[in-house]
Amino acid sequence: MCFQQKMIHSLFLINCSGDIFLEKHWKSVVSQSVCDYFFEAQEKAIDVENVPPVISTPHHYLISIYRDKIFFVSVIQTEVPPLFVIEFLHRVADTFQDYFGECSETAIKDNVVIVYELLEEMLDNGFPLATESNILKELIKPPTILRSVVNSITGSSNVGDTLPTGQLSNIPWRRAGVKYTNNEAYFDVIEEIDAIIDKSGSTVFAEIQGVIDSCIKLSGMPDLSLSFMNPRLLDDVSFHPCIRFKRWESERVLSFIPPDGNFRLISYRVSSQNLVAIPVYVKHLISFKENSSSGRFDVTIGPKQNMGKTVEGVVMTVHMPKAVLNMNLTATQGSYTFDPVTKVLAWDVGKITPQKLPNLKGIVNLQSGAPKPEENPSLNIQFKIQQLAISGLKVNRLDMYGEKYKPFKGVKYITKAGKFQVRT
Amino acid sequence: MAASPAYGEEKGGSSSLGEPEYGHDPASGGIFASDYKRHDDLKEMLDSNKDSLKLEAMKRIVAMIARGKNASDLFPAVVKNVACKNIEVKKLVYVYLVRYAEEQQDLALLSISTFQRGLKDPNQLIRASALRVLSSIRVPIIVPIMMLAIKEAASDMSPYVRKTAAHAIPKLYSLDSDQKDQLIEVIEKLLADKTTLVAGSVVMAFEEVCPERIDLIHKNYRKLCNLLIDVEEWGQVVIINMLTRYARTQFLSPNQNESLLEESAEKAFYGSEEEDTKDAKAEAASLAKRKPYVMDPDHRLLLRNTKPLLQSRNAAVVMAVAQLYFHLAPKAEVGVIAKALVRLLRSHSEVQYVVLQNVATMSIKRRGMFEPYLKSFYIRSTDPTQIKILKLEVLTNLANETNISTILREFQTYIRSMDKDFVAATIQAIGRCATNIGKVRDTCLNGLVQLLSNRDELVVAESVVVIKKLLQMQPAQHSEIIKHMAKLTDNIQVPMARASILWLIGEYCEHVPKIAPDVLRKMAKSFTNEEDIVKLQVINLAAKLYLTNSKQSKLLTQYVLNLAKYDQNYDIRDRARFIRQLIVPTEKSGALNKYAKKLFLAQKPAPILESSFKDRDHFQLGSLSHLLNAKAVGYQELPDWPDEAPDPSVRNVEVPEWTKCTSREKRKDKVEKPFYSDSEGESGPTESADSEPESDSEESGSSSSSGTSSSSSEEEDEEEEEGGSEEQSEDKEGEEEEEEKRKKKKEKGGPRKASPRSVGSEEEEEAEGKKVKKAAGPQGKKGHAESSSEEASASESSSSGSDSGTEAPTVVEAKRRKVIPSSKAGPKEISLLDLDDFTPPPPQPVPSSSIISTSLVTDLEGLTLTDTSLAPALLSPAFGAVRTYELLHRMAGEGLSVEYCFSRRPFPGDPHMVAVQIQISNNTDAEVKSLRVSEPKLLAGMRIQEFPEIESLAPGDTASVVMGIDFCDSTQAANFQLCTHTRHFYVSIQPPVGELMAPVFMSENEFRKEQEHLARRGEGKLTGMSEITEKLTLPEKCRSDHAIVQQVTSAANVGRVPCGADNEYRFAAKTVTSGSLVLITLEWREGAAAQLTVNSEKMVIGTMLVKDIIQALAQ
């Protein structure tokens, strides 16, 4: 009873080969041996994705996430909402990404002091303290090549000598005294189509998920409001904390004082009543012959409702059955690779032109003697369509209050494939 | 920037002194000499005078710590740099210190004084960081110092330092749990804090130190609910989880009446027995008798204020709200969480994993909730297996008669997956669907039988196991399948499947009389090579065959038993011996032998295939315990609903109602800024709470009951059910009473206001409230600018004003105490009168309260700061039933319909304007854009303050705006155009005379004085100029006090004036533009006769008002 310690106790960073390359304790030290339970679970799981995020050990609970080939394993002693920890760990990974440009083992090792300083600020006694990247950047400056050169010469430091006033303000996400010579506000409306297409080509499930990512470089304290031509399309929305919820509820206008720099303004789902236009179709013929060690593979991708826009960046990946030894294919467009170890076929198609549909055709070599694969593999498709929001969402206008200058504004629309899968 | 040099300077002094001293410390040199050799260079660097070298050394040390290497031997060299000038060095020293202080306690003490000095720094951030490090050093000796520091910091004027104090509480508690009582005191104090910054941290401390002290929450409950939306996301999670537990102890189950119905309904759904339906009928009948459930307004408040958080970007917050709704909301409302949870399924796979676990539990209890999102749980081949299996679980839970065919079709795809674990899970899922939904049982069974010829052995084995379970339900019809399965024994090698087949054949050997002995023969042959579970089943089969068909199987059985007798496994040997004794009759076996058949061939109940998530919801959802399905250390049990609701009045905060009222008004002009207004907490969040009109009545209701005992408040609740109108007027009475109290307090608080900074927050608010009300036109018009400057001042005062924070509450408290007993005295008097059987007094506390107030008012007259009786303070209006008028009919407006009403609130921009609330609904199917007012055509002197342009109004939407009109005290209509982007409509607003005034508070004496004054002035000119008297007869239903009051106040925006006489009613108001008084007196004579007198300088208004009031009373 007396040693009730909650929330995150310790954090271990482990790479894929099982080395613990960083540890941080917020309370008393927990021995590395606690990670053995994690390794045990890792071994049991077939692949990294199947390591259970929550593991119970005799004295602790381990909650972990897997990001960019690193396991973030946190040690918990008492009851805590698991999502609380998971969400926090992802926030830590996001911060590393933000600071070092990548969240990799080398980046973390190279910047171990900054990592430590960050972790120190992000958690106090195992409870999240400052997780807003704007506040953190005031406290601890992100490394840049120039700065590290200067630092090594002058001996100055990465720790900001200003105090984190943002932590005290009621808009903690924005730092004070922002100044730009060019004031710009860019919004990327990115929509992803999640779909499952069945064998016959009919849509089993499809929906549109979207986000608006913003890059805002505006001086002072601008107060923005962004309105849509058709806000009713947005069915389920989640907001960055800067958005005034009431205003959205009553007027369907996004009104906010933005954080400085890049951030995700909203993510949304388009209401399910709207039929989703699927921009590509796939013709496929994959078959494995009984009692012979070969099979046929023939896939064609074509644009469906392209709305005058070209479908580009098309990539198809297929996890072939284990029995497949090799594939001998010819692509009319783009190039393909087949990895005999992971059995992953990847076909980088590029742009689709309706005049000449890209096709990938050839022979599949199977292990001789093995029974023919039971199931045809499903095809995962990626694509991109520029200048189009597939749901038809349109930004109406962006107004700025509170500052005198005229900002440069821009909106970009992109449609992408999300989890787009064709069953064969 | 300015702060940092000071920081460095102060510490700098000590470091330069300290350094040489430690450097030559013989003790450290001697004892640690051997250790030092390992890190000699580091030590030298730390001792050098160059910051860059120190920094380099510290960086290397931190890197060592990060790799888990021991660096504790450097402690003495490091700790002396705690006062280093360089901030980065200092920070890294802190990191080191916190890590190793526990191991080197004595040396760690050397650093304490630095932090103690830091605690007194003028910069709040330095104070906070000093406290943070100090409290992180786990050295028991400094517990008293920590305690003192925490206590001091808890009353620091900076909310940030107070937040740090809250963070420090659990640290101290884990160091020394004996401090609990003292810490609880600090927690109690911090819980009362009104800033969002502190709220999350203190609740976290509460949860760790004293989660059982639920009583500490009562007074802060409403505040927490209101602050919630503006608290940072991590704090939100903690608060929501705590409030869930709180609500479970304080409110009644919103589903108590349904729960029985629900159960029986489900029973009826599955069971075919008629009894169930009978039961249901009986229950329904008994339900009808029960008293209807009324949700506690505080319960509603919690649900309402957490709902927007479903839109948070933080998955933990969404999950917290979802579990709150699942555990607390009425069944009909839980559905809202489904959408948000489904959204989380797009997130990282760890998030998906946790969310799916919770969805699986929820989908058992509330299947309907997730049914619309069925397809979102469809499985992709790229999902990780653990996610696939959870999705499968949800799909199975959601299966019902209508969607089963789609689900089965989906399952068919899954069966062909390459992921065999997943295929096995799918087969089990099919089995569960087959048991739950009778309609598809045969289809499923056929499908599974087809799987028996699958190439993959695992698939076949899993199917066998599931088929076995299904066959147990109706074996007779399926001997074909059993035969088919018997053939499989030749091929299937998976032990579990073989065992299942053998069991099936043994169990139903009568259905397959020819095959069974043959199977036994084959099994006897391979007996020695079988797995243990298979062997056991072979023995089982042999025994059963021996009993039913001993002729063919006697020898075989004996052979098998002999083999088993010498088996390596003792279980098998035991079983063989036991069975031999049972079935083979010998002299010794005796009585048991007779019953062998009964023992072996008894009817066995079919297994029930159910979800492993069933009944998991007894753990709080979203918790670690729920995920593990086992109680985690420190898990707080979610209590059951109480049978009787505890006294709701414990949550009443003795904040006079007017604070809420003023803030409500304030919000009207600050709607734009609810998110930011919270640096001080009190204003912003309260606003967001009672933004909806319904809450107003709720709150005033609960506050009016606060004075009386809880039992009477319950009565009120019942009344609420019975007669709407009666209750409403009572509410109003309550409010009026409240207003009087307010007034009194204002007067009392008046003199103190001379030194505004020394007053507590409430008074600050009062001051602000007044500012808004009294704000002169030009200042008020600036809308935005003004409110933001107000915020600035609020946040300013937060830091400077809280110095005196400790003293302020007591002042307020004292004031409150003075007032509250007096209001309580009223009802008591009545009850005494009741007992004495005098003329039955009216049930409202009005007359009595007026007695008190008059006396109190006269008492306090000396204290009054208001500009004497000539300019009585304007009151916030009493809300009657608001009448709406039509501005633009739907037909005339081509689909655009506009209504308006007089909200009777002061128009924020200009006190001379009447606030007109306009409600615009777009009934067209196109968007209406840029709605605005233009080209007002007004009589001389009239002015209009247009509402801000509505940029667009989507089809079906409704917008509500407020505009102000100065009617110049005339009932002439204000004409203007209402424009859209395409059309112009001519409209006009004509005010009833009663809306041209605002209520005024005055005492009886003042009223008399004014009346005489007016009458005298009239004498000077012409009598009758300022007094209009009319006789009238009151209709039947208007002969009660509150009916009269209600009718008059609904006809005109007037305030009631207390009156000593029983049959006299007085009201006072002031015209909005010119501020001339309007006094109304209604004398109720015997029977239905009454006389109405209106005194006013404005004769036209007087005459019209008389007409209107008489009309209202005659209705």
Side-chain angles (χ1 to χ4, degrees), chain A residues 219-373:
Chain A
S219 318
M221 275 287 166
D223 193 336
L224 304 178
S225 54
L226 183 76
S227 61
F228 298 99
M229 305 283 263
N230 38 10
R232 290 163 67 83
L233 275 175
L234 308 183
D235 181 36
D236 180 43
V237 193
S238 77
F239 297 120
H240 189 277
C242 69
I243 291 170
R244 299 178 179 102
F245 182 70
K246 285 265 139 87
R247 188 85 192 277
W248 172 257
E249 282 287 275
S250 58
E251 297 167 53
R252 298 276 142 175
V253 168
L254 296 174
S255 158
F256 56 99
I257 293 179
D260 185 40
N262 295 308
F263 66 101
R264 176 154 296 173
L265 186 65
I266 61 169
S267 40
Y268 59 87
R269 191 172 58 213
V270 174
S271 52
S272 42
Q273 294 101 314
N274 296 47
L275 278 179
V276 180
I278 305 287
V280 296
Y281 68 88
V282 179
K283 272 196 225 154
H284 51 81
L285 197 149
I286 303 171
S287 64
F288 304 106
K289 276 185 218 126
E290 196 76 49
N291 300 326
S292 90
S293 56
S294 72
R296 276 175 64 198
F297 186 95
D298 184 348
V299 173
T300 308
I301 303 181
K304 215 172 172 184
Q305 291 136 318
N306 57 355
M307 305 170 187
K309 304 273 197 286
T310 40
V311 182
E312 49 186 46
V314 181
V315 177
M316 182 184 81
T317 44
V318 190
H319 286 260
M320 299 302 286
K322 285 207 181 65
V324 174
L325 273 185
N326 217 331
M327 302 181 81
N328 262 325
L329 308 172
T330 38
T332 60
Q333 187 183 333
S335 58
Y336 81 96
T337 54
F338 177 73
D339 183 343
V341 182
T342 56
K343 315 282 181 202
V344 174
L345 167 73
W347 178 28
D348 189 344
V349 184
K351 212 183 272 182
I352 303 183
T353 40
Q355 293 79 25
K356 191 170 142 268
L357 298 178
N359 169 270
L360 182 69
K361 190 156 95 173
I363 304 289
V364 184
N365 297 318
L366 297 173
Q367 221 168 336
S368 53
K372 94 174 173 109

Side-chain angles (χ1 to χ4, degrees), chain B residues 732 880-881 883 904 995 1045-1054 1112:
Chain B
K732 232 169 45 186
R883 201 175 300 163
R904 293 195 176 179
E995 302 297 345
V1045 174
Q1046 201 190 354
Q1047 288 305 332
V1048 174
T1049 48
S1050 72
N1053 191 9
V1054 292

Side-chain angles (χ1 to χ4, degrees), chain B residues 22 75-76 79-80 82 97 100-117 134 137-146 175:
Chain B
Y22 293 127
F75 200 92
V79 80
K80 67 189 169 199
V82 72
L97 194 62
Y100 286 113
E102 211 167 7
E103 295 170 29
Q104 310 261 341
Q105 306 213 346
D106 293 343
L107 285 167
L109 292 179
L110 295 173
S111 63
I112 302 298
S113 64
T114 315
F115 302 122
Q116 279 181 297
R117 222 174 305 129
L134 180 69
I137 297 175
R138 285 177 300 271
V139 178
I141 305 172
I142 63 162
V143 163
I145 299 176
M146 274 166 77
L175 198 60

Side-chain angles (χ1 to χ4, degrees), chain A residues 2-6 21-23 26-29 32 46 49-54 56 61 64-67 77-84 86-88 90-91 112-113 116-117 120-121 123-125 127-129 131-132 157-159 161-164 167-168 170-171 173 192 194-196 199 204-205 209 229 232 235-246 257 269 290 319 321 371-372 374-375 378 380 399 419 421 423, chain B residues 1 3-4 52 59 62-63 65-68 87-88 91-92 95 99 102 123-125 132 138 160 163 167 170-171 173-174 177 197 204 207-208 233-234 237-238 241 308 311-316 319 339 342-343 345-346 348 350-355 373 375-376 378-382 384-386 410 413-414 416-418 421 454-455 622-625 627-628 632-635 672 674-676 679 688 691 927 951 954-955 957:
Chain A
C2 103
F3 279 90
Q4 270 216 356
Q5 300 187 325
K6 283 212 176 173
F21 65 91
L22 187 119
E23 63 178 73
W26 280 271
K27 295 162 186 177
S28 47
V29 178
Q32 285 196 353
I46 314 144
E49 280 179 317
N50 277 314
V51 180
V54 182
S56 174
Y61 305 98
S64 62
I65 64 159
Y66 180 69
R67 273 277 291 264
Q77 274 195 331
T78 52
E79 169 65 48
V80 64
L83 269 184
F84 187 97
I86 289 169
E87 182 79 26
F88 176 79
H90 276 294
R91 213 58 80 77
V112 71
V113 175
Y116 238 67
E117 283 166 346
E120 190 71 28
E121 292 299 334
L123 271 188
D124 180 18
N125 193 35
F127 193 83
L129 189 64
T131 49
E132 247 351 295
S157 70
N158 276 325
V159 174
D161 48 2
T162 46
L163 289 158
Q167 225 157 347
L168 306 174
N170 41 20
I171 21 178
W173 53 84
E192 295 192 353
D194 285 0
I196 301 176
K199 224 175 188 163
V204 176
F205 164 76
Q209 307 265 2
M229 305 283 263
R232 290 163 67 83
D235 181 36
D236 180 43
V237 193
S238 77
F239 297 120
H240 189 277
C242 69
I243 291 170
R244 299 178 179 102
F245 182 70
K246 285 265 139 87
I257 293 179
R269 191 172 58 213
E290 196 76 49
H319 286 260
K372 94 174 173 109
E374 197 65 33
E375 184 204 34
S378 41
N380 296 299
D399 296 310
K419 298 172 176 174
Q421 196 159 81
R423 292 175 176 165
Chain B
M1 281 294 258
S4 59
S52 57
K59 280 186 174 173
V62 167
I65 297 174
R67 256 174 285 132
I87 286 196
E88 187 164 19
K91 280 209 167 171
L92 296 177
V95 169
R99 169 71 176 75
E102 211 167 7
N123 187 314
Q124 48 178 338
L125 293 156
R132 213 183 127 191
R138 285 177 300 271
Y160 184 64
K163 180 190 175 75
H167 274 271
K171 298 186 208 170
Y173 181 65
S174 73
S177 56
L197 210 54
M204 185 266 302
E207 286 284 80
E208 289 200 30
E233 40 196 358
W234 310 109
V237 178
V238 180
N241 280 321
Q311 242 121 22
S312 171
R313 62 167 174 175
N314 187 320
M319 189 65 232
K339 202 190 268 181
V342 170
R343 183 183 70 227
L345 295 181
R346 279 274 297 182
H348 301 285
E350 296 88 7
V351 175
Q352 284 184 42
Y353 177 79
V354 178
V355 171
Y373 303 99
K375 288 188 171 176
S376 300
Y378 279 8
I379 294 155
R380 294 182 165 77
S381 61
T382 40
T385 311
Q386 50 185 356
E410 191 62 20
T413 338
Y414 301 162
R416 282 182 287 128
S417 166
M418 282 180 270
D421 290 334
N454 193 291
R455 200 189 305 268
S623 68
L624 184 61
S625 305
L627 193 78
L628 298 169
V633 182
Y635 173 69
E672 315 264 286
F675 261 79
Y676 303 109
S679 72
S688 52
S691 56
E927 206 173 24
E951 268 162 13
D957 269 8

